[in-house]
Amino acid sequence: MAQIIAVANQKGGVGKTTTAINLAASLAAAEQRTLLVDLDPQANASSGVGLDRETLESTTYHALLGEAKASAILCNTPLDCLQILPATADLIGAEIELVSEPDRETRLRSALQEISNDYKYIVIDCPPSLGLLTINALTAADSVLVPLQCEYYAMEGLSQLIKTIRLIQRQLNPELTLRGILLTMFDRRNNLSHQVSEEIRRHFNNRVFDTVIPRNVRLSEAPSHGLPVLLYDIASTGAAAYLSLAKEIISAGN
């Protein structure tokens, strides 16, 4: 059975999709069978691994609505051990169409049951909100990874996300855990980055990953080429950081 990790933060621009893509790719590079699930209507995780969203016939939208099995919408990526359940902007409609369904919070969990034994890790890229799509991800997941940017308003919204996690634990998924907080967009030349890092580590202690994701031009460029950063420039500091994160996660699971 796969370990299912939801990458979630309702605050936009924190490196959530970058983390989902590059963590999944780094796990796959370590020869761990990995599935990336694009649950964000912006569908950047899909284009970020080289898919043409215009040519996709079935997506996570169809899986959530029960119109297609997850196994029928799987797509391959440039990495042998990485597959993706892709998305398009159609996913916006899922929140509206599912709102009156009695099992609306568990659609993703049900969809993944069919294929979860085929992978060691499933990484879910959540939208920047705490709506029904994110609730589906948290209900399906074993753990939550929270990217947090090293900027002034870093902790803004984090308390609300933690409240949501506790609510999901009480009502829908008692096994859900906080896997860790990942510091992103760290600029070692900037005193503020160091101050935010110290404050978050002091506040959350051992819930913060040792790995820190730096600000890195190659990391920013990679999505426009439809590649995870380790395939775009494996010598970059961004690639090294995500490979280090994957190593942390694999080590914690052993």
Side-chain angles (χ1 to χ4, degrees):
M1 187 74 74
Q3 293 184 43
I4 304 178
I5 304 169
V7 180
N9 189 332
Q10 77 274 23
K11 196 171 186 296
V14 299
K16 181 179 49 59
T17 298
T18 297
T19 294
I21 292 171
N22 290 296
L23 170 59
S26 296
L27 290 167
E31 299 185 340
Q32 307 289 315
R33 286 278 300 163
T34 304
L35 175 66
L36 176 60
V37 179
D38 194 344
L39 208 63
D40 185 344
Q42 297 176 80
N44 290 330
S46 300
S47 60
V49 293
L51 296 186
D52 180 356
R53 291 171 293 193
E54 300 300 318
T55 64
L56 296 171
E57 295 182 4
S58 296
T59 65
T60 48
Y61 166 81
H62 301 93
L64 289 173
L65 292 180
E67 296 176 3
K69 288 188 173 182
S71 57
I73 66 174
L74 286 170
C75 294
N76 293 323
T77 75
L79 287 159
D80 289 342
C81 287
L82 178 62
Q83 291 184 302
I84 183 171
L85 291 181
T88 63
D90 289 348
L91 194 54
I92 294 171
E95 296 212 56
I96 299 166
E97 293 177 57
L98 289 175
V99 73
S100 60
E101 298 294 326
D103 60 346
R104 58 187 175 271
E105 301 97 346
T106 60
R107 290 297 184 98
L108 182 62
R109 181 163 67 189
S110 298
L112 292 178
Q113 281 175 348
E114 174 207 2
I115 57 173
S116 63
N117 285 329
D118 297 334
Y119 302 96
K120 183 66 183 288
Y121 294 97
I122 296 176
V123 179
I124 307 172
D125 183 32
C126 298
S129 71
L130 293 178
L132 190 54
L133 292 174
T134 297
I135 290 170
N136 261 268
L138 297 179
T139 303
D142 302 306
S143 62
V144 190
L145 187 155
V146 183
L148 206 64
Q149 81 281 26
C150 293
E151 295 178 357
Y152 185 70
Y153 291 112
M155 295 180 71
E156 187 179 274
L158 186 57
S159 60
Q160 184 58 49
L161 176 59
I162 289 172
K163 285 179 185 175
T164 301
I165 292 169
R166 288 174 180 157
L167 188 65
I168 298 292
Q169 287 170 329
R170 285 199 303 270
Q171 299 188 3
L172 294 164
N173 184 5
E175 305 303 316
L176 183 66
T177 62
L178 176 61
R179 183 172 284 260
I181 295 168
L182 176 68
L183 298 174
T184 63
M185 303 179 188
F186 183 86
D187 184 348
R188 67 178 62 188
R189 300 164 300 179
N190 187 330
N191 285 337
L192 181 60
S193 283
H194 291 278
Q195 290 168 9
V196 170
S197 174
E198 289 168 10
E199 180 183 355
I200 291 169
R201 289 189 187 281
R202 185 167 59 250
H203 195 77
F204 290 98
N205 199 8
N206 60 353
R207 291 186 169 190
V208 184
F209 285 102
D210 292 336
T211 300
V212 173
I213 309 301
R215 283 196 179 276
N216 178 240
V217 172
R218 307 303 263 175
L219 201 51
S220 302
E221 291 173 347
S224 66
H225 296 269
L227 291 171
V229 70
L230 63 83
L231 293 181
Y232 179 61
D233 184 358
I234 196 167
S236 66
T237 58
Y242 278 109
L243 288 167
S244 173
L245 176 66
K247 186 177 180 181
E248 265 196 80
I249 285 175
I250 292 168
S251 297
N254 292 335

